[in-house]
Amino acid sequence: MAAVKILLILCLLILFGISPLWASSSAFKTLYSYPEQPKPIDSELRVVPGQMAPDFSLPAISGKQVRLSDFQGKKMVMLTFIPAAWTPVCSDQWPGYNLAKPLFDQYDTCVIGISVDNIPTLYAWTRQMGDLWFDVVSDFWPHGKISDVYGVLRSDGTADRAIIIIDKAGVVQFTHVEDINVRPELGMIIKALEQIHSKSLSE
């Protein structure tokens, strides 16, 4: 039954191209767009698969502190860095992870959304998107410190659009930096989760 449910979700994601389910929301008819097309990638990753993920503790919009090492031994973690709140691609990306939650559950993975925006901005933005099931944390101050540690801080103070997947031992297993103007493909993420999860079961 679970397999049928997951297959149905995948079919829906493919059929609807993921985004139209929420991109047509009236809340996002007017979003900030950069005056000029920004440079696709403007940072250099400082983490590689096989190394321990740098630990951090950041404030979440829920009011709690989220510490990466708290998940060690319990869950795989997917860090999703985004450039900025209230922009079209970012407002399209994170709600997609709501629809795919059963897939993250299947691979025993939690998601942490990281932005250099401050807490009030992130709170207002995520309220407009609807409830997100995962933690959204602010890397606002010291500005972009964790984004810089991971090597995804852009020269303009925003972050690149990056996905970092960390296994239960706290080791980086997957990194991907996407063109800032493009939403990372969900199929790529799920495939990486499946491979990392299968590897952990065989060890």
Side-chain angles (χ1 to χ4, degrees), residues 1-90:
M1 190 62 185
V4 173
K5 186 177 180 182
I6 289 169
L7 181 61
L8 180 60
I9 292 170
L10 286 172
C11 289
L12 286 171
L13 293 173
I14 294 170
L15 179 62
F16 290 100
I18 304 173
S19 62
L21 290 174
W22 52 83
S24 59
S25 167
S26 60
F28 293 107
K29 283 183 177 176
T30 303
L31 291 169
Y32 176 79
S33 295
Y34 293 97
E36 297 179 3
Q37 195 82 335
K39 187 177 178 181
I41 296 174
D42 187 30
S43 63
E44 188 169 340
L45 265 179
R46 293 179 179 164
V47 295
V48 295
Q51 78 167 82
M52 289 298 293
D55 195 17
F56 61 80
S57 178
L58 290 173
I61 60 172
S62 62
K64 66 180 182 182
Q65 284 287 127
V66 173
R67 183 181 296 278
L68 177 63
S69 55
D70 287 346
F71 296 94
Q72 199 166 324
K74 302 172 185 172
K75 292 273 189 182
M76 296 191 349
V77 178
M78 184 182 90
L79 306 181
T80 164
F81 292 87
I82 58 158
W86 301 107
T87 54
V89 179
C90 297

Side-chain angles (χ1 to χ4, degrees), residues 106-188:
Q106 179 183 357
Y107 299 121
D108 210 13
T109 302
C110 66
V111 174
I112 301 176
I114 305 177
S115 169
V116 296
D117 294 288
N118 63 23
I119 287 289
T121 297
L122 289 172
Y123 182 83
W125 179 50
T126 54
R127 293 286 75 76
Q128 287 294 318
M129 288 194 289
D131 290 333
L132 299 175
W133 63 272
F134 53 88
D135 286 313
V136 173
V137 300
S138 170
D139 188 20
F140 179 70
W141 197 257
H143 188 78
K145 179 181 177 182
I146 303 305
S147 300
D148 190 36
V149 166
Y150 276 77
V152 297
L153 187 66
R154 296 171 64 93
S155 58
D156 63 359
T158 62
D160 264 322
R161 194 178 305 283
I163 300 291
I164 312 288
I165 300 178
I166 301 160
D167 67 15
K168 292 182 181 179
V171 177
V172 174
Q173 293 290 347
F174 176 84
T175 62
H176 177 78
V177 181
E178 184 65 79
D179 180 336
I180 195 174
N181 306 296
V182 178
R183 184 185 62 239
E185 185 185 345
L186 186 57
M188 170 196 70

